[in-house]
Amino acid sequence: MTEAAYWAGELESVFARVAGRFARADLRWRMRDYVRGLLGRATRKNGWQLAEWAGHRTPDGFQRLLNSSVWDADALRDDVCAYVAERLGPGGVLIIDDTGFIKKGTTSAGVGRQYTGTSGKIDNCQIGVFAAYATSSGRALVDRELYLPKAWTSDRDRCRAAKIPDERGFATKGELARDIVRRCLAATWVTADEAYGQDWHFRRLLEQLDVGYVVAVPKSQQIKSLAGIWRIDQLIEEAPLDAWQRLSCGEGAKGPRVYDWAAAKLPTNLIFDPDPPTHHRWVMARRSLSDPGEIAYYLAYAPVGIEIAELVRIAGSRWAIEECFQAAKNECGLDEYEVRRYIGWYRHITLSMLAHAVLTALAAQAQGGGAAKGAAETDQPPSRSPWQRSGDSWTLSCPIHEPTAIPSSTH
């Protein structure tokens, strides 16, 4: 009973916190019923079942809440972000990723045939770019943007039918991610998969904001220096045996999740970096213990004096957003909406994020701030090598490979 009273009190405190975003009392009560329904035991979190759970005769009130009533979903998003940061604590990692929402038809804002990791194939779906915030106490979704393909933004009549604002033009997923990063500056670190990590503009924005990052990149990622351009997999091939060290990137369901890791500092960038530098750039690789041929690659930007184990921890935290997607979809109806309009998508997703944030705060309290789960899978240098030992770490001098013949705009 004490625990149930605490849960109820936490939920009421959250409702009080966001009440000012809803000017009318009936909207506030409707919002409360909707969030309670998302947290409830309805089999599906669609309009009719949420209405039945709340004791409403029809879902009309919820449809008005999502589509036509006056309130600011972006202001509520800011409240969710502040609440999560307060409950989970400072110094966390901001994780960027996208997820798909499988849909039928062609009228839902942004829907189209596009690849989504949700189904692992090209499907008829909407794509949302999200950010999650993670600390040792837990993780929760804190921001979202709906991706609109060019097939939508080039057809203004179709956009207007879905109530997409005229000022909303085409933006890549990377551009949406950069907008999110500019809004979520409470994090100490940022991590993302290679779809975002290979974007030089994304990495450069983080450097300009003095935010450290560890981002995945493809094996073809090019590394530039004054001596030329090299692929990251070529550099990692040159790593001496003693550059690899076995480290855990976090706790999993079966214990520590361990890989072999290699990391080396890149030369200082004379154009962008102060003298002396406050941060170093790194190349990193993660090698599977069960299959040494399975190697993932990373670029990092970190304060001077960082320990390799800390970079590994940041890299391992990336999968926390997958846990957020799973929990928010399974428990808070993130993907079970029945709205087609642009504003309805943002409003439902934000209310679902609020519900998920409450669950995260309650779990953090119950665990007493215990360590969060990690996220990866269980499981003498040549004289001319570019890998050179410098104290307790490795640095890269001018590589010995022939430079790539065709330069690339990616760095």
Side-chain angles (χ1 to χ4, degrees), residues 30-31 54 131 137 180 192 205 210 277 295-296 318 356 359 396:
R30 206 165 289 148
M31 176 273 296
S137 298
I180 288 173
L205 172 64
D210 279 334
I295 301 177
R318 180 169 65 86
H356 180 244
L359 292 182
L396 286 174

Side-chain angles (χ1 to χ4, degrees), residues 170-293:
F170 176 73
T172 66
K173 294 171 190 172
E175 289 170 333
L176 296 177
R178 296 201 292 274
D179 289 341
I180 288 173
V181 165
R182 292 186 184 98
R183 292 195 292 261
C184 300
L185 296 182
T188 303
W189 294 93
V190 169
T191 188
D193 67 14
E194 62 185 49
Y196 301 94
Q198 66 184 329
D199 181 356
W200 180 82
H201 297 285
F202 180 69
R203 301 196 308 273
R204 182 59 190 148
L205 172 64
L206 296 173
E207 294 175 7
Q208 291 172 328
L209 296 172
D210 279 334
V211 175
Y213 62 74
V214 181
V215 292
V217 294
K219 66 180 182 180
S220 59
Q221 179 69 40
Q222 294 184 337
I223 308 298
K224 294 185 177 181
S225 77
L226 295 177
I229 304 171
W230 292 267
R231 285 170 52 124
I232 192 170
D233 59 346
Q234 293 174 334
L235 295 177
I236 296 302
E237 285 175 4
E238 292 292 329
L241 290 177
D242 55 346
W244 292 93
Q245 49 187 315
R246 194 154 293 181
L247 295 167
S248 168
C249 57
E251 290 291 323
K254 299 180 180 180
R257 301 190 174 190
V258 179
Y259 289 104
D260 286 333
W261 294 82
K265 298 174 190 173
L266 290 168
T268 300
N269 189 310
L270 300 177
I271 298 175
F272 296 135
D273 298 337
D275 186 18
T278 60
H279 290 70
H280 288 304
R281 294 175 188 81
W282 296 73
V283 294
M284 298 175 58
R286 185 198 72 195
R287 188 173 65 193
S288 170
L289 302 185
S290 59
D291 181 5

Side-chain angles (χ1 to χ4, degrees), residues 93-353:
V93 181
L94 190 72
I95 310 159
I96 304 295
D97 201 359
D98 53 73
T99 190
F101 302 90
I102 309 301
K103 294 294 172 184
K104 297 179 180 179
T106 60
T107 57
S108 297
V111 74
R113 291 194 59 77
Q114 48 198 329
Y115 177 81
T116 170
T118 301
S119 62
K121 62 181 181 179
I122 294 176
D123 224 326
N124 196 61
C125 63
Q126 296 167 295
I127 298 290
V129 179
F130 285 82
Y133 181 73
T135 71
S136 61
S137 298
R139 77 283 295 167
L141 299 173
V142 293
D143 209 337
R144 74 291 177 265
E145 287 289 353
L146 178 64
Y147 172 70
L148 298 178
K150 288 183 178 179
W152 274 85
T153 56
S154 62
D155 187 341
R156 299 319 302 179
D157 289 338
R158 190 183 186 192
C159 286
R160 292 187 184 105
K163 304 300 181 183
I164 298 172
D166 287 340
E167 61 271 18
R168 175 68 194 269
F170 176 73
T172 66
K173 294 171 190 172
E175 289 170 333
L176 296 177
R178 296 201 292 274
D179 289 341
I180 288 173
V181 165
R182 292 186 184 98
R183 292 195 292 261
C184 300
L185 296 182
T188 303
W189 294 93
V190 169
T191 188
D193 67 14
E194 62 185 49
Y196 301 94
Q198 66 184 329
D199 181 356
W200 180 82
H201 297 285
F202 180 69
R203 301 196 308 273
R204 182 59 190 148
L205 172 64
L206 296 173
E207 294 175 7
Q208 291 172 328
L209 296 172
D210 279 334
V211 175
Y213 62 74
V214 181
V215 292
V217 294
K219 66 180 182 180
S220 59
Q221 179 69 40
Q222 294 184 337
I223 308 298
K224 294 185 177 181
S225 77
L226 295 177
I229 304 171
W230 292 267
R231 285 170 52 124
I232 192 170
D233 59 346
Q234 293 174 334
L235 295 177
I236 296 302
E237 285 175 4
E238 292 292 329
L241 290 177
D242 55 346
W244 292 93
Q245 49 187 315
R246 194 154 293 181
L247 295 167
S248 168
C249 57
E251 290 291 323
K254 299 180 180 180
R257 301 190 174 190
V258 179
Y259 289 104
D260 286 333
W261 294 82
K265 298 174 190 173
L266 290 168
T268 300
N269 189 310
L270 300 177
I271 298 175
F272 296 135
D273 298 337
D275 186 18
T278 60
H279 290 70
H280 288 304
R281 294 175 188 81
W282 296 73
V283 294
M284 298 175 58
R286 185 198 72 195
R287 188 173 65 193
S288 170
L289 302 185
S290 59
D291 181 5
E294 183 182 319
I295 301 177
Y297 302 92
Y298 299 83
L299 293 177
Y301 178 77
V304 171
I306 194 75
E307 297 288 337
I308 304 300
E310 178 68 359
L311 295 178
V312 168
R313 182 188 71 82
I314 303 303
S317 69
R318 180 169 65 86
W319 295 96
I321 195 169
E322 297 295 342
E323 296 176 345
C324 289
F325 289 148
Q326 183 178 5
K329 288 180 178 182
N330 291 345
E331 300 172 22
C332 303
L334 186 73
D335 61 344
E336 294 182 350
Y337 53 87
E338 295 178 329
V339 292
R340 293 187 173 89
R341 294 179 177 179
Y342 180 83
I343 191 173
W345 186 90
Y346 276 94
R347 288 179 169 184
H348 168 81
I349 294 295
T350 307
L351 290 169
S352 180
M353 285 167 46

